[in-house]
């Protein structure tokens, strides 16, 4: 085991390297490129025994990843934003093939307007694609989630592909000290992929992905995907336990920060959760009983764990770093949905939209969120419309650029 | 409401038959729904189409599992389990078959419940009058008459409208009308007891369990099992080899798209009829004229 | 594997079947015949990557006509899928994860709608990467599986569901068929050829020859389509032969980009070919459209002129 300063991208690449992957189809897109540059160098320098290929698009890249997995190779690939959307058809197709692999999505807000910094509209557009989704907060978690991803994906109770999501810029280009596990420990944690049955072999032909007409069989196999994805919760927990036993780091489906006696809770995900934790810390120092619940496993949605953490709280704010125009925050709706049947659910569930296009969320804004929840506490009418974190100063800046653009 | 389910083979005019019936009833002032079921069907493969005809607005959609009339455009479908033509057959319903056979023969052979079996050789009339075996107008005419949903004028207008929309020539349309009226006049109206939904016999919803692979994943481990589909049922004409004329050139063997012709140890071709779709390329290509064709009737 | 070392006549063609009967494809499908014949040379150690098209329905769960493997993928990415399988087999064999006896030939099966249009990018990519695979495009000259709409493979003068003849468009399809062969040839793959299901010896010989090359081996086969082209199913081979004899479907190959015609046709008037098909009916009825018929004939003549000159020089 060594500790090194690594970017989020390099950490993800190390995850693939340690997982001893066989195959890496790629297609460059900012901010993912460092991942594939690292891996291609390692392969060219014989530090990794795998095949690297540059495809002609993300659609082709995801296809090749899926077909190689269907041939029994351990496959790693990575993309971002527009690339994930361009390959979206194949995300659905491959999960239907029921083949294991890991794809890293380096989150970046979606065009148009095209932009460079992250939000989660790209990754959440894939939320119904049948892929397991693990969202990470820091560089260490990025490496570890890739390793855990293979173990979950290759478990026959799951047999669905996994996406690990890490934020562009905030993680992709940011260096932090990262523990790089020893290869022999990783081997213990992640044995070679069992490719006995159902792969393309001269001696054992199979047909995969065949058309299935009439709704009955289709319903059955689609529902099997759902049940397998649901299995991924307990499989995840088992894998996390093994991971802790070998590497000492613990990753539950959700992460609890200052939650024990928290009356007010902020729910959020990914790298901005670090900012959220800092804000909680400061508010705690001021005497506010505030906590933070970080969502790590987004698919399957760990509803039981979320319910357990949010019952009997006075108020909860869900910060969505995404926007579904005409609906609001995507995760807000999911969190509300899972709490409906609990009598002890919080009085207030506040929807907050922030961090779009990588826009910062300041301490003052976090405090404004808590103030807003408190304002509505004990009031009968609570707004269900989302609040956008957008200040007077932001409006001035915006007016200025609109003026320059000319009307 | 009268629910009609047509069964036929792709290319036979089944969808158009359902549309002619639908349009004719519409012209008579009924509320109507008609729809074909598209699936894997290709020319020659089983195809289904539906009509709902009602004096009240139609509050149903999709496939008809409890038809009042089942109209079979191709008798070979009776032996094709995949076509599922007997689904929802019941006492008091009508089972119409385009066939040479007598109704009593069909009743006995298939042990049908006490439904009314009506037979008519629609193909014969169509071939004789129109020259082709597309039974859209003639089959629709039979059902129009049996159900009493449309008079001759509405039927003729419906045939004109629907056959024009598939770009048939006026001359062909006129022949179809002629054949259709022949069929119409041969049939008579039959009182129909329409199906009533019985809430007691509803389906039982089960909790689907999770299955590990291989069962839970849609992978085919079998090899070459399309042979079980018996596409031989698609044939309208059958190629027959006259071995006295056969010169064993092998042209038929290399010309069969479906691989239904093999060579025996003496290099004579042998046709596998269970799956031969009756494309007749072998017949057309045989330079020795050693392949003859026969119309498929009374296949059972 | 096929027994024949060289293909001289029909008797050399492998009797073993690899695509078994009972598929849901139309009776008389020319594309299916081409596939059946090609398979006889390819043998059993094959995995097919099928891009969405008519042949999607070859394997309809729970049935498959194949004795070998199959993977169905989307319309744009047959060759990309082939890349993943080829690479996976190579690396797994290299790493010793699977024995080399388990190796397979990777074959992309695709219609013209995919090959000429939505799948062209991934095909270009695979040729550029020198992927070792076979690529079979069954060309029925329109989007057949959706009911026969115009594709860039549809010939000038043909009728499709989206290019119906009208007063303003008496020729029906106004564009010329895209020259996919030349687009491929610009990539200089080791082997490429056009074939026809009604020329089984030529087809077999070409697949045999292709097997000597590593890298992309690309085939476009004419796929006469009874439903889309509007003729009785029994005429598929007759029409395919006429396409060759009229010169509208040249049988050719290119090795490392070097072009050669494998058959010089008798140059029958193209009218003989057109008049048998419903998709060209509007050129003859109700009034004859000489302009369009002549333009089609001229296109053929112009195509062949330089090659015929070359041939006669050699003589």
């Amino acid at each position: 085991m060594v500790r090194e300063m690594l970017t989020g991208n390099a950490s993800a690449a190390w995850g693939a390297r340690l997982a001893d992957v066989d195959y890496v189809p790629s297609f460059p897109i900012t901010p993912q490129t460092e991942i594939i540059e690292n891996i291609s160098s390692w392969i060219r320098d014989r530090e990794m025994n795998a095949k690297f290929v540059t495809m002609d698009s993300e659609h082709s890249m995801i296809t090749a990843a899926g077909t190689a997995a269907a041939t029994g190779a351990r496959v790693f690939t990575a993309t971002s934003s527009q690339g994930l959307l361009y390959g979206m058809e194949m995300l659905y197709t491959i999960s239907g093939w029921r083949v294991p692999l890991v794809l890293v999505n380096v989150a970046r807000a979606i065009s148009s307007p095209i932009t460079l910094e992250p939000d989660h509209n790209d990754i959440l557009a894939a939320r119904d694609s049948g892929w397991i989704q693990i969202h990470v907060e820091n560089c260490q978690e990025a490496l570890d989630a890739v390793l855990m991803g293979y173990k979950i994906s290759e478990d026959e109770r799951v047999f669905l592909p996994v996406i690990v999501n890490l934020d562009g810029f905030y993680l992709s280009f940011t260096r932090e000290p990262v523990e790089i596990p020893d290869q022999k420990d990783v081997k213990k944690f992640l044995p070679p992929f069992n490719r006995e049955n159902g792969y393309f072999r001269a001696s054992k032909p199979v047909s995969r992905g065949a058309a299935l007409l009439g709704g009955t069989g289709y319903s059955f196999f689609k529902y099997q995907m759902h049940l397998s994805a649901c299995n991924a919760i307990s499989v995840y927990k088992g894998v996390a336990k093994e991971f802790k036993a070998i590497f000492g780091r613990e990753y539950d489906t959700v992460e609890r920060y200052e939650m024990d006696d928290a009356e007010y809770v902020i729910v959020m995900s990914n790298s901005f959760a670090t900012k959220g934790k800092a804000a909680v810390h400061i508010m705690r120092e001021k005497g506010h009983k505030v906590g933070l619940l970080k969502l790590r496993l987004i698919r399957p949605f760990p509803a039981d764990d979320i319910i357990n953490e949010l019952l009997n709280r006075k108020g909860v704010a869900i910060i969505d770093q995404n926007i579904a125009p005409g609906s609001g925050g995507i995760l807000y709706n999911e969190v509300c949905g899972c709490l409906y049947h609990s009598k002890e659910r919080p009085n207030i569930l506040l929807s907050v939209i922030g961090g779009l296009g990588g826009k910062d969320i300041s301490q003052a804004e976090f405090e404004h969120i808590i103030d807003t929840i408190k304002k509505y506490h004990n009031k009968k009418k609570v707004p269900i419309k989302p609040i956008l974190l957008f200040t007077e100063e932001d409006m001035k800046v915006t007016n200025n650029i609109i003026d320059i653009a000319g009307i | 409401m009268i629910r009609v389910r047509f069964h036929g083979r792709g290319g036979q005019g089944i969808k158009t038959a359902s549309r002619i019936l639908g349009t004719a009833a519409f012209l008579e002032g009924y509320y109507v729904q008609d729809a074909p079921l598209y699936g894997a069907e290709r020319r020659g493969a089983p195809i289904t189409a539906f009509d709902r005809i009602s004096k009240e607005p139609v509050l149903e959609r999709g496939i008809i599992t409890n038809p009042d009339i089942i109209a079979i455009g191709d008798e070979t479908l009776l032996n094709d389990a995949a076509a599922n033509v007997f689904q929802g057959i019941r006492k008091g319903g009508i089972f119409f078959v385009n066939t040479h056979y007598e109704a009593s023969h069909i009743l006995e052979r298939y042990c049908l419940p006490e439904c009314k079996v009506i037979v008519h050789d629609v193909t014969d009339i169509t071939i004789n009058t129109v020259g082709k075996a597309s039974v859209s107008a003639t089959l629709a005419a039979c059902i129009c008459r049996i159900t009493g949903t449309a008079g001759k004028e509405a039927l003729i207008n419906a045939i004109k409208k629907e056959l024009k929309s598939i770009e048939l020539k006026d001359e062909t349309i006129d022949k179809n009308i002629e054949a259709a009226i022949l069929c119409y006049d041969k049939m008579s109206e039959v009182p129909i007891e329409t199906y009533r939904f019985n809430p007691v016999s509803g389906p039982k919803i089960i909790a689907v369990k999770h299955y590990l692979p291989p069962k839970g994943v849609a992978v085919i481990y079998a090899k070459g099992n399309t042979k079980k589909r018996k596409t031989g049922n698609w044939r309208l004409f059958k190629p027959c080899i006259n071995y006295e004329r056969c010169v064993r050139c092998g042209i038929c063997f290399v010309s069969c798209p479906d691989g239904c012709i093999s060579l025996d140890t003496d290099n004579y071709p042998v046709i596998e009829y269970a799956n031969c779709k009756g494309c007749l390329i072998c017949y057309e290509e045989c330079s020795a004229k050693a392949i003859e064709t026969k119309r498929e009737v009374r296949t059972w | 594997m096929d027994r024949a070392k060289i293909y001289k006549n029909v008797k050399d063609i492998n009797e073993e079947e690899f695509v078994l009967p009972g598929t849901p494809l139309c009776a008389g499908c020319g594309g299916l015949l081409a596939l059946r014949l090609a398979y006889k040379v390819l043998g059993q150690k094959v995995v097919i990557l099928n891009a969405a098209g008519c042949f999607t329905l070859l394997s309809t769960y729970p049935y498959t006509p194949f004795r070998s493997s199959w993977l169905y993928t989307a319309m744009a990415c047959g060759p990309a899928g082939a890349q993943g399988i080829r690479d996976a087999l190579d690396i797994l064999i290299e790493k010793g994860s699977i024995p080399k006896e388990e190796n397979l030939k990777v074959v992309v099966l695709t219609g013209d709608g995919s090959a000429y249009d939505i799948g062209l990018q991934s095909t270009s990519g695979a040729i550029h990467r020198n992927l070792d695979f076979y690529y079979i495009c069954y060309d029925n000259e329109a989007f057949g599986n959706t009911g026969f709409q115009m594709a860039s493979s549809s010939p000038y003068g043909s009728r499709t569901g989206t290019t119906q003849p009208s007063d303003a468009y008496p020729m029906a399809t106004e564009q010329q068929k895209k020259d996919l062969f030349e687009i491929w040839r610009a990539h200089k793959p080791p082997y490429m050829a056009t074939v026809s299901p009604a020329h089984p010896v030529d087809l077999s010989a070409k697949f045999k020859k292709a097997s000597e090359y590593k890298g992309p081996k690309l085939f476009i086969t004419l796929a006469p389509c009874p439903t889309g082209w509007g003729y009785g199913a029994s005429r598929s081979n007759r029409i395919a032969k006429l396409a060759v004899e009229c010169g509208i479907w040249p049988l050719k190959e290119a090795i490392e980009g070097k072009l050669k015609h494998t058959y010089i046709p008798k140059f029958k008037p193209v009218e003989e070919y057109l008049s048998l098909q419903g998709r060209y009916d509007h050129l003859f009825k109700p009034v004859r459209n000489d302009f369009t018929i002549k333009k089609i004939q001229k296109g053929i003549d112009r195509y062949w002129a330089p090659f015929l000159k070359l041939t006669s020089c050699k003589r």
Side-chain angles (χ1 to χ4, degrees):
Chain A
M1 188 262 291
V2 288
R3 266 169 77 82
E4 267 193 50
M5 286 293 285
L6 291 183
T7 60
N9 277 344
S11 304
W14 265 103
R17 174 171 167 169
L18 290 168
D20 190 23
V21 300
D22 300 307
Y23 188 47
V24 186
S26 73
F27 189 81
I29 180 169
T30 301
Q32 151 268 31
T33 41
E34 186 192 355
I35 299 179
I36 59 171
E37 283 177 355
N38 275 342
I39 291 177
S40 63
S41 298
W42 288 333
I43 292 174
R44 287 187 170 228
D45 295 342
R46 304 273 189 273
E47 290 179 77
M48 258 179 96
N49 186 7
K51 172 140 186 167
F52 179 90
V53 58
T54 302
M55 298 299 291
D56 43 274
S57 71
E58 288 89 355
H59 191 282
S60 286
M61 174 190 89
I62 295 172
T63 304
T67 60
T71 313
R74 184 174 278 166
V75 181
F76 176 83
T77 189
T79 188
S80 179
S81 186
Q82 308 298 124
L84 192 72
L85 297 197
Y86 194 66
M88 187 65 74
E89 178 189 24
M90 296 315 295
L91 292 183
Y92 278 76
T93 304
I94 285 169
S95 62
W97 291 345
R98 303 294 307 273
V99 292
L101 67 100
V102 173
L103 178 152
V104 166
N105 181 62
V106 186
R108 172 181 150 195
I110 291 171
S111 177
S112 137
I114 195 151
T115 192
L116 289 174
E117 289 169 306
D119 64 33
H120 304 135
N121 267 109
D122 59 353
I123 184 65
L124 290 177
R127 70 189 183 276
D128 302 330
S129 65
W131 289 56
I132 307 301
Q133 289 198 9
I134 304 171
H135 292 214
V136 306
E137 182 187 343
N138 56 49
C139 297
Q140 182 72 58
E141 214 181 322
L143 189 157
D144 295 347
V146 170
L147 297 178
M148 287 173 65
Y150 282 105
K151 190 132 170 129
I152 296 161
S153 187
E154 291 170 8
D155 190 302
E156 66 170 0
R157 290 167 292 177
V158 179
F159 260 176
L160 288 167
V162 170
I163 300 181
V164 172
N165 188 68
L166 64 94
D167 282 341
F169 180 74
Y170 287 90
L171 290 188
S172 66
F173 305 149
T174 302
R175 294 204 311 163
E176 292 176 339
V178 171
E179 248 182 58
I180 304 173
D182 284 343
Q183 187 74 65
K184 67 172 185 350
D185 289 336
V186 174
K187 277 240 157 72
K188 217 169 11 165
F189 172 73
L190 184 66
F193 178 32
N194 174 4
R195 45 180 79 88
E196 278 291 297
N197 281 316
Y199 301 97
F200 302 123
R201 300 287 177 269
S203 63
K204 289 183 198 167
V206 291
S207 299
R208 202 180 274 269
L212 211 175
L213 304 172
T216 306
Y218 184 86
S219 302
F220 175 81
F221 289 114
K222 278 287 159 186
Y223 196 69
Q224 289 300 314
M225 283 173 70
H226 168 66
L227 294 175
S228 302
C230 291
N231 284 347
I233 292 188
S234 61
V235 170
Y236 178 98
K237 285 177 184 278
V239 167
K241 211 168 155 184
E242 275 183 67
F243 192 89
K244 192 190 174 197
I246 296 175
F247 304 106
R249 291 181 292 279
E250 189 170 5
Y251 297 107
D252 201 351
T253 58
V254 294
E255 181 185 332
R256 303 152 184 88
Y257 183 79
E258 300 281 10
M259 285 290 285
D260 286 351
D261 62 342
E263 293 174 344
Y264 302 99
V265 176
I266 292 171
V267 177
M268 58 192 302
S269 65
N270 289 286
S271 68
F272 274 36
T274 307
K275 295 169 185 278
K277 287 175 185 171
V280 165
H281 184 71
I282 291 169
M283 284 187 270
R284 281 267 169 185
E285 283 182 341
K286 291 181 185 170
H288 303 289
K289 288 192 170 171
V290 183
L292 184 141
L293 184 70
K294 188 180 88 178
L295 306 182
R296 181 180 281 115
L297 191 63
I298 300 283
R299 279 293 180 272
F301 198 64
D304 289 339
D305 289 334
I306 292 168
I307 294 166
N308 269 339
E309 292 305 323
L310 298 184
L311 292 192
N312 297 312
R313 310 288 180 183
K314 285 184 177 168
V316 171
I318 295 102
I319 303 181
D320 270 293
Q321 209 174 340
N322 62 73
I323 186 159
S327 171
I330 293 168
L331 296 177
Y332 173 74
N333 286 316
E334 299 214 352
V335 173
C336 287
C338 72
L339 288 167
Y340 179 81
H341 286 289
S342 306
K343 286 210 175 79
E344 306 82 17
R345 64 180 185 244
N347 274 349
I348 305 168
L349 289 169
L350 186 70
S351 176
V352 179
I353 307 255
L356 295 184
K359 185 178 183 299
D360 192 23
I361 302 177
S362 66
Q363 175 68 27
E365 284 166 329
F366 280 111
E367 293 195 12
H368 172 80
I369 293 167
I370 298 299
D371 289 347
T372 308
I373 306 178
K374 284 186 175 172
K375 193 171 86 188
Y376 286 109
H377 183 52
N378 291 331
K379 289 218 174 115
K380 282 204 173 143
K381 248 192 154 175
V382 178
I384 54 165
K385 285 182 190 167
I387 298 172
L388 176 70
L389 298 178
F390 202 79
T391 63
E392 265 180 8
E393 185 56 30
D394 293 329
M395 196 64 231
K396 270 188 209 161
V397 171
T398 307
N399 281 332
N400 189 32
I401 57 174
I402 290 172
D403 279 348
I404 295 169
I407 291 176
Chain B
M1 178 175 359
I2 297 173
R3 300 169 185 85
V4 184
R5 190 175 71 216
F6 288 94
H7 292 272
R9 298 198 175 274
Q12 218 190 347
I14 293 303
K15 172 183 162 187
T16 309
S18 75
R19 289 193 159 188
I20 291 170
L21 176 63
T23 298
F26 168 73
L27 293 173
E28 293 286 13
Y30 287 96
Y31 289 95
V32 181
Q33 251 184 27
D34 61 48
L37 181 65
Y38 290 118
E41 61 271 0
R42 287 293 180 268
R43 176 160 291 189
I47 178 174
T48 315
F50 314 99
D51 280 88
R52 291 182 172 92
I53 301 168
S54 171
K55 288 181 176 153
E56 310 292 327
V58 177
L59 299 178
E60 293 183 4
R61 294 217 176 274
I63 60 169
I64 293 175
T65 53
N66 293 287
D68 303 307
I69 302 184
I70 300 172
I72 310 291
D74 182 334
E75 61 181 9
T76 64
L77 288 167
L78 300 180
N79 282 343
D80 190 344
N84 206 11
V85 299
F86 298 112
Q87 186 194 34
I89 192 167
R90 64 182 162 80
K91 194 178 165 184
I94 292 175
F95 195 73
F96 177 91
V97 189
N98 169 17
T99 178
H100 279 196
Y101 275 105
E102 300 294 320
S104 57
H105 178 81
I106 290 174
L107 255 173
E108 279 163 33
R109 177 164 174 120
Y110 294 99
C111 305
L112 302 182
E114 296 163 46
C115 62
K116 293 164 203 155
V117 175
I118 302 172
V119 293
H120 192 42
D121 195 342
V122 176
T123 304
D124 211 47
I125 291 184
T126 316
I127 289 182
N128 288 339
T129 316
V130 187
K132 280 186 178 169
S134 172
V135 296
S136 55
T138 39
L139 186 58
C142 294
I143 306 303
C144 267
R145 179 64 165 174
I146 293 168
T147 54
T149 46
K152 276 188 196 173
E153 193 191 336
L155 173 66
I156 290 169
N157 287 334
I159 294 172
K160 279 184 187 161
K161 189 167 166 21
E162 295 306 327
L163 296 189
K164 229 180 169 63
S165 79
I166 54 170
E167 289 166 19
L168 292 192
K169 291 173 212 117
D170 288 345
E171 180 195 347
T172 315
I173 295 174
D174 289 343
K175 283 182 188 164
N176 270 282
I177 291 171
E178 188 191 332
I181 295 302
L182 282 174
C183 288
Y184 190 89
D185 288 340
K186 285 260 168 66
M187 297 285 112
S188 50
E189 195 174 333
V190 180
I192 296 167
E193 298 162 39
T194 60
Y195 173 78
R196 277 182 212 296
F197 180 62
N198 177 3
V200 186
S201 62
K204 192 181 165 204
I205 300 290
I206 59 158
V208 174
K209 290 185 295 189
H210 178 261
Y211 295 95
L212 291 175
K215 183 169 178 178
V217 177
V219 171
I220 305 170
Y221 293 88
K223 287 173 249 174
N225 61 353
T226 42
K227 280 192 110 166
K228 294 181 185 166
R229 294 171 61 114
K230 306 288 179 229
T231 44
N233 280 347
W234 295 18
R235 279 194 307 272
L236 287 173
F237 291 89
K238 179 181 188 173
C240 300
I241 298 170
N242 178 346
Y243 287 102
E244 284 173 11
R245 295 186 130 204
C246 175
V247 295
R248 296 185 278 180
C249 65
I251 289 294
C252 56
F253 161 70
V254 297
S255 302
C256 176
D258 293 281
C260 288
I261 300 179
S262 55
L263 300 177
D264 70 10
T265 45
D266 297 323
N267 280 329
Y268 279 108
V270 180
I271 299 177
E272 192 229 324
Y273 288 110
N275 281 298
C276 161
K277 293 171 184 165
C279 70
L280 302 180
I281 293 177
C282 55
Y283 157 77
E284 179 111 9
E285 292 302 307
C286 179
S287 52
K289 303 266 176 250
I291 299 179
E292 294 145 16
T293 66
K294 284 183 192 159
R295 193 187 148 199
E296 291 279 3
V297 285
R298 306 200 178 206
T299 49
W300 24 267
Chain C
M1 218 27 215
D2 60 326
R3 297 164 310 177
K5 289 207 170 77
I6 32 168
Y7 289 90
K8 279 191 191 150
N9 63 49
V10 166
K11 305 269 183 218
D12 297 325
I13 288 171
N14 191 356
E15 280 176 38
E16 196 176 349
E17 298 292 346
F18 300 91
V19 188
L20 300 191
T23 72
L25 298 194
C26 299
C29 174
L32 182 58
L33 175 55
L35 175 66
R36 172 180 167 241
L37 293 169
Y39 237 117
K40 284 172 178 287
V41 186
L42 292 168
Q44 200 178 335
K45 290 188 169 187
V46 160
V47 54
I48 286 204
L49 254 288
N50 186 88
C54 285
F55 282 10
T56 296
L57 296 170
L58 280 175
S59 282
T60 307
Y61 191 91
Y63 297 106
T64 178
F66 300 113
R67 292 162 57 200
S68 46
S69 286
W70 156 279
L71 180 65
Y72 169 75
T73 187
M75 198 164 185
C77 56
Q83 182 86 43
I85 295 186
R86 181 68 269 150
D87 288 344
L89 287 168
D90 287 347
I91 189 80
L92 291 175
I93 290 169
E94 189 191 313
K95 279 185 165 184
S97 305
I98 59 171
K100 63 176 188 300
E101 294 73 34
E102 296 291 9
N103 201 3
L104 295 166
K105 291 176 189 164
V106 183
V107 178
V108 169
L109 194 53
T110 169
D112 48 290
S114 169
Y116 285 71
D117 290 315
I118 185 173
L120 182 55
Q121 169 184 302
S122 69
T123 311
S124 171
I127 305 173
H128 168 248
R129 294 185 296 267
N130 201 34
L131 178 66
D132 187 25
F133 78 129
Y134 291 82
Y135 185 96
I136 305 173
C137 164
Y138 52 99
D139 187 352
N140 66 0
E141 308 196 312
F143 290 102
N145 197 37
T146 45
F148 215 73
Q149 294 81 25
M150 194 209 77
S152 63
S153 52
S154 302
Y156 165 80
S158 67
R159 186 188 71 208
T160 74
T162 47
T163 51
Q164 296 286 353
S166 69
D167 288 346
Y169 297 91
M171 79 301 277
T173 297
E174 68 265 40
Q175 295 94 342
Q176 296 288 338
K177 184 180 173 88
K178 191 191 273 181
D179 194 345
L180 183 62
F181 193 85
E182 286 302 305
I183 294 171
W184 284 354
R185 198 156 77 91
H187 293 67
K188 298 190 175 59
Y191 189 84
M192 51 187 285
T194 61
V195 293
S196 155
H199 291 73
V201 178
D202 180 77
L203 182 151
S204 304
K206 283 171 175 170
F207 271 87
K208 177 78 181 173
K209 191 185 261 184
S211 69
E212 294 162 16
Y213 296 90
K214 200 170 154 62
K217 297 169 267 283
L218 310 157
F219 292 84
I220 313 178
T221 178
L222 185 68
C225 171
T227 41
W229 293 10
Y231 64 84
S234 65
R235 289 189 164 177
S236 278
N237 279 27
R238 187 167 149 195
I239 284 173
K241 280 188 240 171
L242 271 173
V244 171
E245 293 302 352
C246 297
I248 201 168
W249 190 263
L251 294 176
K252 53 189 172 181
E253 66 183 7
I255 296 170
E256 310 288 357
K258 198 164 181 297
L259 181 67
K260 181 187 151 196
H261 286 89
T262 55
Y263 179 76
I264 302 298
K266 297 184 180 69
F267 297 109
K268 293 186 175 176
V270 72
E271 219 178 303
E272 285 190 32
Y273 168 71
L274 304 178
S275 61
L276 286 180
Q277 304 171 51
R279 64 175 170 154
Y280 294 110
D281 264 355
H282 58 284
L283 301 184
F284 301 95
K285 286 176 264 181
V287 285
R288 203 181 146 88
N289 181 346
D290 266 322
F291 177 82
T292 301
I293 298 170
K294 275 186 188 152
K295 193 167 161 184
I296 295 171
Q297 185 65 59
K298 264 188 202 155
I300 297 169
D301 298 346
R302 200 175 306 127
Y303 170 86
W304 281 99
F307 306 117
L308 294 175
K309 229 180 266 167
L310 278 178
T311 320
S312 51
C313 283
K314 270 185 192 165
R315 277 183 207 145

